[in-house]
């Protein structure tokens, strides 16, 4: 029999990986909660009506469609079924696909908001941490099943939310041990102002798509593409004179206003960002927050602030993105509801922490203590010790089988526990148990209270 | 435009439901961890090779099969595609189904163990809390997407695991606020002994399937069915004389041994359960643990202890089940690996707690505090108060818009927060903020440290 395996582009997460993934998710979740975001979960299954046509042509191709055998069998018209079976190999079962797998968390959120709009109190802050599926070609760092981690506030255009999200970015990256992360901010109105100020007569979307390639193709490449669209070189040079980046401060905003020649559209961006800065007054940022006028994030649906977070020198692109949108729910018939949201790329963050080994020490260890013994009597005594451990919130395992003590230590080392307790006749008589710190090779004779204190230290 | 909706048999979990679901999952997870079970997650997508043929004929029908459009388009032979398109309505896209959705957590766990057997240290304790999908007809309490919550230990036949699992049952139900739950235990050898002792000449599986219906069709119904199989009435009466239930104690085990006429097969069950009781010595059980000789759980793959938990008077069948198996991984070619595991039915537990309103008070409330204000200056001051709150781990929201104070209180009431803080000119001057307990209708003037103390109390 061939060894079974998980499908291409998917992953099993064993205990050692789960500890680290949970650390990332718990860190993000804890910060989201402190900022009043509340949990939401939507089903993995959505109707194709909800999903189709929402992710562009490429997205539509990557959508996973679903049928149960039962549905297929029940719904196939008999006369057609015969014709089809003649055409198809046995294993090809045709079906009308009514359901699909969640492709992102944004569209299901929009669907939820529209469907439940009469029960929701706006502004509504929700976070959502769930899997999504895309039938993409698997590659390094690209999976068919992965986790998204979103926070959005919908139903208010207050810039307080942008300030809250910046604080969230700061706390998430600091708590993850990535204080060198950079949060890049731009504003849709700056992009529109560039088009206006340079009198480009093509859509903002086309302009931002080109600008978005700056990282990859450089100024020369962007200029070449713009010139190809009929923009003259002088204007391109004007453009590059404006679109630098600088720390987001009142002073730098004023400088940009000048560079924009006090363009009225740019002024709207500057007013918004000033308001955000006012809300942040007194808050100490650990990460760098940078105004980057070349930041476009491709998506045409952002209408205000745009966010992107990167970890320098990680060799990985953005680890988070987001922004303000004014028509997320429009696709489902609910117009003019403003919102703002961000999304963390958990898998990319994991890769950075793993590559640079930035995990805190306790994430490398199995947090259990192993209780070792010599015979049935000492094993039963160990069950009592285990109870005391667990009543005090300490996880532990009594070695289940009657094997030689070295076998038990082998097991302890293999599963990565730091401490083992040895219980034999002497220990049962005196109540002083032998504690072995397997990491340091130390050994102590202590009573159970002292042992728990040692382990908790 | 029609209002969008989630698919039949699936659910959206908004914040109020999520708080309660998370309470259940956190309770179970915390206990699993204390007993040394470590987290595992497997993908929602499994190959059909892994899934098919594992869940019986009915299960195969309920399996969800998956294709991405891209795969379908790429793999459809062109000449056939044209023929098929002529036969099918546009939306019917045929495809060869290579992937399916996770149907339970047991088969993926078995697949994981076999696939990674060289990297796993046995005995391996894992817990797994994930969604599963079944294309069943939706009904009250029956969903197409629901959560399973399993703990298994594989690679050891030590009865210490059975004792650990009983302790886990006890702590989970006590911590959930369901101390009246009953854990029913039986042993496969008792069932085999009944067949042996009564000299029934049909398979144990057939016998247990009939016995399993006792709850539904009563003694008379079971007797009728057995008589139909050719068992004489005297033997049936003998059977019902034996299969009562009683608290699991040494003394009651001895009584059962007598009832079984010291049958050697039954003796194996009694030895096992005595060993389990020895491991439990000194452990105080809050729930009732009951030996129930009619418990069969239909599944033929249990080989030792069998578990089932029920909450009396809930109108809901079992809320958990499990047992020891000796050949879980045999379907994937790894023979003779003994294990034991249990699974909690989260959705059923939720329904019982909800119907009887057994939730602790804090699960009804939004845990945030709302910070209210009168103008831009007091809103910015509130941002500072919020920072202090969050630095101290307290979640809060600064009301984002500039609306009248009554509107802000309305919002607080609607989202269910207990406390609101009002910040105006006086408050900013004195540092004494107005705290409104919206639940009790009380109001205090306190500094921020006193407020945090009040909220934490």
């Amino acid at each position: 029999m061939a060894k079974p395996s998980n499908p291409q582009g998917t992953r099993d997460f064993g205990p050692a990986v789960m500890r680290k993934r949970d650390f990332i998710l718990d860190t993000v979740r804890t910060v989201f909660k402190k900022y009043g975001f509340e949990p939401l979960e939507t089903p993995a299954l959505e109707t194709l009506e909800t999903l189709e046509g929402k992710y562009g042509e490429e997205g539509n191709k990557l959508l996973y469609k679903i049928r149960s055998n039962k549905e297929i069998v029940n719904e196939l018209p008999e006369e057609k079924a015969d014709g089809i079976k003649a055409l198809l190999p046995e294993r090809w079962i045709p079906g009308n696909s009514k359901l699909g797998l969640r492709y992102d968390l944004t569209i299901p959120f929009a669907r939820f908001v529209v469907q439940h709009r009469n029960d929701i109190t706006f502004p509504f802050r929700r976070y959502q941490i769930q899997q999504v599926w895309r039938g993409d070609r698997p590659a390094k760092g690209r999976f068919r099943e992965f986790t998204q981690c979103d926070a959005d506030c919908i139903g208010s255009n207050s810039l307080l939310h942008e300030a809250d999200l910046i604080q969230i970015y700061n706390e998430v990256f600091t708590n993850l041990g990535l204080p060198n992360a950079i949060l890049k901010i731009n504003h849709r109105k700056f992009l529109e102002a560039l088009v206006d100020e340079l009198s480009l007569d093509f859509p903002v979307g086309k302009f931002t798509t080109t600008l978005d390639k700056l990282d990859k193709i450089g100024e020369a490449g962007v200029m070449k593409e713009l010139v190809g669209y009929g923009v003259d070189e002088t204007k391109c040079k004007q453009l590059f004179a404006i679109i630098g980046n600088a720390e987001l401060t009142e002073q730098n905003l004023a400088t940009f206003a000048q560079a924009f020649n006090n363009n009225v559209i740019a002024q709207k961006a500057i007013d918004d960002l000033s308001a955000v800065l006012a809300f942040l007054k007194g808050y100490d940022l650990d990460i760098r927050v940078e105004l980057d006028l070349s930041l476009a994030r491709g998506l045409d649906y952002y209408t205000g602030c745009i966010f992107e977070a990167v970890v320098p020198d990680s060799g990985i692109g953005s680890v988070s993105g987001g922004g303000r949108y004014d028509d997320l729910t429009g696709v489902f018939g609910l117009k003019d509801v403003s919102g703002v949201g961000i999304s963390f790329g958990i898998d990319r963050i994991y890769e950075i922490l793993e590559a640079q080994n930035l995990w805190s020490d306790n994430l490398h260890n199995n947090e259990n203590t192993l209780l070792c013994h010599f015979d049935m009597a000492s094993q039963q005594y160990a069950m009592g010790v285990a109870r005391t451990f667990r009543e005090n919130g300490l996880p532990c395992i009594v070695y289940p089988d009657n094997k030689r003590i070295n076998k038990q230590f082998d097991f302890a080392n293999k599963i990565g526990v730091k401490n083992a307790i040895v219980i034999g006749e002497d220990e049962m008589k005196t109540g002083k148990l032998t504690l072995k710190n397997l990491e340091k090779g130390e050994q102590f004779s202590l009573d159970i209270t002292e042992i728990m204190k040692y382990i908790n230290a």
Side-chain angles (χ1 to χ4, degrees), chain A residues 9 22 39 164 306 313 316 424:
Chain A
D22 280 346
D164 272 359
I306 304 168
D313 306 321
I316 282 176

Side-chain angles (χ1 to χ4, degrees), chain A residues 143-334:
Chain A
F143 304 102
R144 289 181 165 168
E145 175 172 343
F146 57 98
T147 305
Q148 287 197 340
C149 195
D150 287 20
D152 286 82
C153 183
I154 197 160
S156 160
N157 53 21
S158 166
L159 292 155
L160 180 138
H161 297 111
E162 276 80 347
D164 272 359
L165 292 174
I166 291 170
Q167 297 183 175
I168 285 175
Y169 269 120
N170 187 56
E171 287 166 43
V172 163
F173 286 119
T174 307
N175 296 349
L176 286 174
L178 291 170
N180 64 330
I182 296 173
L183 174 61
K184 295 181 179 192
I185 297 185
N186 198 3
H187 195 293
R188 174 77 180 189
K189 293 291 169 197
F190 276 138
L191 296 166
E192 290 176 15
L194 286 169
V195 171
D196 179 64
E197 196 59 23
L198 301 174
S199 313
L200 308 182
D201 61 349
F202 52 87
V204 180
K206 198 166 155 190
F207 171 67
T208 57
T209 305
T210 303
L211 197 57
D212 216 20
K213 299 177 189 163
L214 189 60
D215 272 357
K216 281 179 201 144
I217 61 177
E219 279 194 19
V222 169
M223 194 182 297
K224 200 177 152 194
E225 208 171 305
L226 289 175
V227 169
Y229 292 144
V231 182
D232 70 46
E233 282 201 26
T234 325
K235 280 189 180 171
C236 287
K237 280 179 187 152
Q238 257 181 286
L239 168 71
F240 290 114
I242 299 177
I243 60 162
N245 62 58
E247 198 182 341
L248 179 65
T249 62
E250 274 298 341
Q251 201 176 348
N252 287 335
L253 277 179
T255 311
F256 275 111
Q258 270 186 321
F260 268 102
N261 204 12
N262 294 311
N263 177 296
V264 286
I265 305 174
Q267 194 54 47
K268 164 72 177 139
I270 286 169
D271 290 347
D272 276 6
L273 291 169
S274 293
V276 172
L277 281 176
F279 281 123
L280 287 172
K281 202 160 281 170
Y283 182 84
D284 289 324
L285 285 162
D286 294 300
I287 62 169
R288 177 178 163 90
V289 179
E290 188 174 282
L291 184 60
D292 181 344
L293 264 72
S294 72
L295 178 68
R297 286 198 65 75
L299 294 177
D300 215 26
Y301 84 116
Y302 291 128
T303 52
C305 286
I306 304 168
F307 301 112
E308 182 170 282
V310 296
V311 178
D313 306 321
S314 64
I316 282 176
S318 73
V319 293
S320 177
R324 178 165 289 277
Y325 42 81
D326 283 341
D327 199 25
L328 184 69
T329 56
V331 285
F332 297 116
L334 185 64

Side-chain angles (χ1 to χ4, degrees), chain A residues 59 61-64 103 133-138 143-145:
Chain A
K61 279 192 197 155
L62 303 183
L63 219 53
Y64 277 112
Y103 184 88
W133 294 267
R134 297 181 185 179
D136 214 341
R137 188 184 301 273
F143 304 102
R144 289 181 165 168
E145 175 172 343

Side-chain angles (χ1 to χ4, degrees), chain A residues 325-390:
Chain A
Y325 42 81
D326 283 341
D327 199 25
L328 184 69
T329 56
V331 285
F332 297 116
L334 185 64
K335 297 276 177 206
D336 301 324
V337 183
S338 187
V340 58
I342 59 176
S343 179
F344 285 96
I346 292 307
D347 295 285
R348 289 177 164 198
I349 291 172
Y350 182 97
E351 283 197 27
I352 292 171
L353 292 172
E354 183 74 16
Q356 305 186 16
N357 196 16
L358 293 173
W359 307 109
S360 70
D361 279 348
N362 62 336
L363 292 173
H364 293 296
N365 284 313
N366 185 319
E367 61 178 347
N368 284 289
T369 298
L370 185 73
L371 309 194
C372 307
H373 45 80
F374 293 91
D375 50 23
M376 190 59 82
S378 53
Q379 192 182 22
Q380 283 179 9
Y381 187 96
M383 284 294 278
V385 174
R387 257 159 235 152
T388 310
F389 258 63
R390 290 167 185 149

Side-chain angles (χ1 to χ4, degrees), chain A residues 77-90:
Chain A
E78 226 171 280
E79 70 284 4
K80 291 204 167 174
D82 293 341
I84 289 158
K85 275 179 196 155
L87 269 166
L88 289 174
E90 188 77 16

